[in-house]
Amino acid sequence: MGNLNSTTKIKVKKIRVGRGIGSGKGKTSGRGVKGQKSRSGVAIKSFEGGQMPLFRRLPKRGFNPINIKKIAKINLEKIQLMIDKKKLNSSDIINLNILKKNKIVGNSYELLKILGKGDMKDKVNIESNYISEGAKNKLEKIGCTIKITPIK
């Protein structure tokens, strides 16, 4: 045989199953007899031979609280846009109930947070549960009144 250099290729013959009793892999083709595993196209999903399955080995992560309250988040630019479109009146107190009544936010929301994207031109009275620092600074600069209502 001699030296094996880069030009010599070693080819291992593939075992052809189901080709007669003399091949050693005839009749049932090494699958045993009967049962789910002997059939073609079946795999027992996530079964790892009695070893603890991967999805049960990994820890559960996180916590999903049952009684979470939905917070409506609204930017200053949207409030200004609604005032410009005459959907909101700048003399009214802008709170969650007014926003729900004018269909600006959905009825499923329980709390309101004012965010600071955009600018306000009109002086408004705002009543909300939360307010971002940026929004608070912008509103105080133009002389708006802000009332933070505590959560029930």
Side-chain angles (χ1 to χ4, degrees), residues 53-92:
L54 181 68
F55 72 92
R56 285 179 64 197
R57 269 182 279 164
L58 298 174
K60 290 187 199 170
R61 290 288 308 237
F63 174 73
N64 296 320
I66 309 160
N67 55 351
I68 194 162
K69 294 193 178 199
K70 280 180 78 181
I71 302 170
K73 298 168 201 86
I74 188 163
N75 277 300
L76 295 177
E77 66 181 2
K78 182 137 186 200
I79 296 171
Q80 186 61 54
L81 184 76
M82 293 302 146
I83 291 168
D84 294 343
K85 284 184 172 179
K86 304 277 191 263
K87 275 196 167 189
L88 288 175
N89 194 346
S90 58
S91 60
D92 289 344

Side-chain angles (χ1 to χ4, degrees), residues 3 7 13-14 17 20 26 30 48 57 59-60 71 73 78 80 104 130 132 147 151:
N3 241 355
T7 57
K13 214 171 186 187
K14 190 177 129 192
V17 293
E48 298 178 22
R57 269 182 279 164
K60 290 187 199 170
I71 302 170
K73 298 168 201 86
K78 182 137 186 200
Q80 186 61 54
I104 296 164
Y130 306 102
S132 72
K147 186 183 175 193
I151 301 128

Side-chain angles (χ1 to χ4, degrees), residues 3-150:
N3 241 355
L4 288 177
N5 56 22
S6 59
T7 57
T8 319
K9 290 183 181 177
I10 299 169
K11 192 168 188 177
V12 179
K13 214 171 186 187
K14 190 177 129 192
I15 297 170
R16 298 177 72 211
V17 293
R19 294 296 188 277
I21 200 166
S23 69
K25 284 272 189 242
K27 195 184 166 210
T28 53
S29 307
R31 284 175 173 263
V33 285
K34 294 184 180 175
Q36 184 179 8
K37 291 181 185 174
S38 71
R39 316 283 194 244
S40 68
V42 237
I44 301 168
K45 296 263 187 293
S46 76
F47 183 69
E48 298 178 22
Q51 175 177 295
M52 185 60 69
L54 181 68
F55 72 92
R56 285 179 64 197
R57 269 182 279 164
L58 298 174
K60 290 187 199 170
R61 290 288 308 237
F63 174 73
N64 296 320
I66 309 160
N67 55 351
I68 194 162
K69 294 193 178 199
K70 280 180 78 181
I71 302 170
K73 298 168 201 86
I74 188 163
N75 277 300
L76 295 177
E77 66 181 2
K78 182 137 186 200
I79 296 171
Q80 186 61 54
L81 184 76
M82 293 302 146
I83 291 168
D84 294 343
K85 284 184 172 179
K86 304 277 191 263
K87 275 196 167 189
L88 288 175
N89 194 346
S90 58
S91 60
D92 289 344
I93 296 169
I94 295 168
N95 58 19
L96 188 61
N97 293 335
I98 296 278
L99 295 173
K100 279 182 183 179
K101 200 166 82 178
N102 292 322
K103 294 192 169 106
I104 296 164
V105 296
N107 282 326
S108 63
Y109 290 105
E110 299 171 52
L111 301 171
L112 176 66
K113 181 169 184 173
I114 309 293
L115 302 173
K117 188 179 176 194
D119 287 310
M120 287 288 291
K121 291 177 268 181
D122 301 324
K123 277 188 182 181
V124 286
N125 297 329
I126 289 182
E127 200 174 284
S128 75
N129 303 101
Y130 306 102
I131 190 163
S132 72
E133 280 298 311
K136 192 176 184 181
N137 294 339
K138 285 179 184 179
L139 290 171
E140 284 172 348
K141 210 176 269 182
I142 59 168
C144 297
T145 54
I146 306 157
K147 186 183 175 193
I148 305 296
T149 53

